Structures are given as C-alpha cells and as structure tokens.
Amino acid sequence: MGSTRDSNQSNTSTVTKKATITVPLQLQADVDKYYITGYPEKVKITIEGPAALVTATKNTQNFNLYLNLRDLSIGQHRVQIKETGLNSELTYSIKPKYVTVNIQKRVTKRFAVDVDYNKDSLASGYETGTIEESPDTVTVTGAASEIAKIDKVVVKPNLPKGIKSTFDQEVLVQALDKNGKTVNVTLDPQTIHVKIPISIQSKQVNINLKQKGSSSDTSYTFESDVKNIRVFGTKDQISAIDDSIDVPVDVSDVNSSSTKKTINLSDVLGNKVTFTDPTTISVTINRASSSALSSTTGNTTTSTSSSSSDSKSSTSSDTSSSSTNSTNDNNDSE
C-alpha cells in the first residue's frame, strides 16, 4: 500500500501543462527624452511546466516582458524581447521573439485645432454660426521628424445629410500632413467637444395682392385672410427681401362674379427665399362693375384693368351719361 501511494504522488508531481498568455510589453528607455515607435503594446508568451505552477503563473502574471533600449542610439534597431520573474521550472517561448523599434528625439508641441466639415450637409437655406471648440488646442508629442510633417491638426465632424439643428458632439482629433495623411504622433486630448450652431434666417413681410393678366371686365377686388407671411432663407436672401412683397393674382381665366384661387408662394418668390410660412394662400377674386366699385367700402383690395387716364375719363363719362338717360326715361314715363 505504501508503495502504491508513493507512486501516485510521483505521477501527480510530474504532470505538465502548457498555457499561452498575452501580456503588456514594457520599455526600458528614457521615454522623456526619446520617442519610440514600432513595437507592439502586447505580446504572447507560451509557458510550460508543472500544472500547478503554470496555473498559478497564468493567474498572477507575476513576471514581465521587456525591451532593453537604454544603450541604443537614435535610429532603427532590431531588439530581442526578454523576460524577468518567471519561475526557473517553467520553459517558455515569446511571439514575436524580436521587434524592430525606431528611436527618435522626443518633441512636444501645441497646435490649434481646425474644424473641417461638409457644408453641403446643411439643409437648403440653413447656415452655421460661430463654432465652439473645447479645448481649441491640443498637445502633440512624437518624433521630431514626425512633428515636422504636421500641416494641420483637425477635427472632422460627420454632419448628417440635411441637418437643420445644432451639432454638438465629441470628435476625434487628427494630425495631418500636407497630403491629408495621418501623422504618427500622440495627441492629448484625443477628442475635443465641438458645437456648430445651425439655423435659418427669417422675417415677417406684408403681402400686396396685385392683378395679373387681362380680362374683358374692368375691375376686380381681392380678398384673403392672410395679410402677412414669414419668409425663410440665408442671411443674404433675407436682407434682400423688402418689408412687403407683391403677390400677383391671375384674372385672365376668371369668368364668374366670385372665384377662389390658391396661390403657391414659392412660385411667386422663386429662389429669392428658401421657403415661406404659410406656403400657400387662398384668394377670393370678386368681379365688379365700375359703378359698383365706386360705392365699395372697407379694406378689400381693388384692381382695374384700365391702363390710362384717358380710358378712366371715358368710363366715368359713360357712366354719367347712362345715369342721365335713365332719369329722363323716368320723367317721360310720369
């Protein structure tokens, strides 16, 4: 029995195990003076040995993998990754075994941040106000040769197509060379807060209903519940619009004494504005005789198709004559 027990203990102690662990790669170098690139942040190490020891090492990771760069000069170097802290009973292999690093003089510089966005993303007529960046500068650190490549430091907000409201987001900062390619440097902070106010200009204007087209009738009156509208557009468009606008009403096809028409204001204003509120107005067109017109009162808009002072005088004479004849007829009848 004793012999059997000793044999089992011996077999347990010789059981081996293998495990692969991903661990950070450390640098032994003066990182305040030199900027080092080309090495991976993490590497894999495969360890093998007694099962209990492998399990404990995997759980605690009480060892380090490192690159010793202290005695190396500026330039490129192929360096072996080394370990420290592993139990001597364990065997190991590191992947990759060697890495190529680039050692350069470290430079830190501060840059203002430009905001580069696609203005075509704005909805028609909408414009941006003063852009706010927080912070508006960033610290850039890198190899002297890389810092020298920097043409500008930018953020590129991705505005949705047809955006009509203020853009307010964190945006990634990029250091670019003159060809627009990313430069290999470290940015602090890596993102900044960007706020782009987006709005559209507007103002209220009065409308004047004006006759358009010719007709056999001599006069018309126009009525509408809408006396003024609000117009929207760019700053230049709104500045160019007067405080009142003429709205033509076509009477060439009016045949009845009272006709209603819906007028599309976008047809009237064209590209002078982006849009209006309301977009259409309803107009009642009343056909009236000259005599009826002379007795009409109120705020109804009146328009006549006569185009000269001579025709107006003629119309007035005809009306007067007609009234005289009518009076004489009545006297004869009596």
Side-chain angles (χ1 to χ4, degrees), residues 118-298:
N118 183 7
K119 292 185 178 180
D120 292 338
S121 297
L122 301 180
S124 178
Y126 283 76
E127 296 175 311
T128 58
T130 302
I131 299 174
E132 299 176 21
E133 306 163 64
S134 181
D136 57 2
T137 61
V138 295
T139 301
V140 183
T141 303
S145 58
E146 291 297 303
I147 295 292
K149 294 179 183 178
I150 297 175
D151 180 60
K152 60 182 177 178
V153 175
V154 301
V155 287
K156 295 186 175 183
N158 185 19
L159 273 59
K161 188 69 176 176
I163 186 171
K164 296 180 179 179
S165 57
T166 296
F167 177 92
D168 193 354
Q169 286 185 16
E170 290 284 326
V171 185
L172 184 69
V173 184
Q174 303 177 66
L176 305 177
D177 64 16
K178 62 181 180 180
N179 296 318
K181 294 183 179 179
T182 303
V183 181
N184 185 20
V185 291
T186 302
L187 298 145
D188 183 28
Q190 295 181 345
T191 63
I192 67 169
H193 192 89
V194 178
K195 183 176 181 181
I196 307 176
I198 297 173
S199 61
I200 190 168
Q201 301 285 323
S202 73
K203 79 173 180 180
Q204 187 167 288
V205 297
N206 298 322
I207 60 171
N208 305 316
L209 301 176
K210 296 291 185 179
Q211 179 179 320
K212 175 187 175 183
S214 60
S215 175
S216 59
D217 294 291
T218 59
S219 57
Y220 298 90
T221 60
F222 307 123
E223 299 175 358
S224 177
D225 292 336
V226 179
K227 305 302 179 186
N228 49 64
I229 62 171
R230 183 161 288 276
V231 293
F232 297 81
T234 64
K235 184 177 180 180
D236 291 341
Q237 285 178 322
I238 298 304
S239 297
I241 291 289
D242 293 331
D243 292 334
S244 64
I245 59 172
D246 291 342
V247 176
V249 182
D250 191 357
V251 298
S252 59
D253 57 351
V254 175
N255 298 315
S256 60
S257 59
S258 181
T259 302
K260 279 193 174 182
K261 279 192 173 186
T262 298
I263 299 178
N264 191 329
L265 295 174
S266 64
D267 293 339
V268 174
L269 294 168
N271 60 4
K272 292 181 179 179
V273 298
T274 302
F275 62 90
T276 64
D277 182 24
T279 56
T280 62
I281 60 171
S282 179
V283 177
T284 300
I285 307 170
N286 296 313
R287 185 173 60 182
S289 66
S290 298
S291 58
L293 251 177
S294 63
S295 62
T296 301
T297 60

Side-chain angles (χ1 to χ4, degrees), residues 53-125:
L53 187 56
V54 168
T55 300
T57 303
K58 183 177 180 180
N59 291 337
T60 60
Q61 294 191 21
N62 56 351
F63 65 94
N64 295 314
L65 299 182
Y66 68 93
L67 291 173
N68 185 1
L69 309 176
R70 287 180 179 142
D71 298 327
L72 299 180
S73 61
I74 290 175
Q76 282 194 345
H77 305 273
R78 189 169 183 265
V79 187
Q80 182 179 358
I81 299 175
K82 297 181 179 180
E83 67 78 25
T84 181
L86 274 178
N87 191 292
S88 58
E89 293 185 49
L90 296 173
T91 59
Y92 66 89
S93 62
I94 301 171
K95 188 175 182 180
K97 189 175 182 180
Y98 291 89
V99 295
T100 299
V101 297
N102 185 12
I103 303 174
Q104 295 291 330
K105 184 178 178 181
R106 186 183 186 90
V107 173
T108 297
K109 192 173 180 180
R110 200 156 192 86
F111 286 84
V113 181
D114 296 332
V115 179
D116 184 6
Y117 65 95
N118 183 7
K119 292 185 178 180
D120 292 338
S121 297
L122 301 180
S124 178

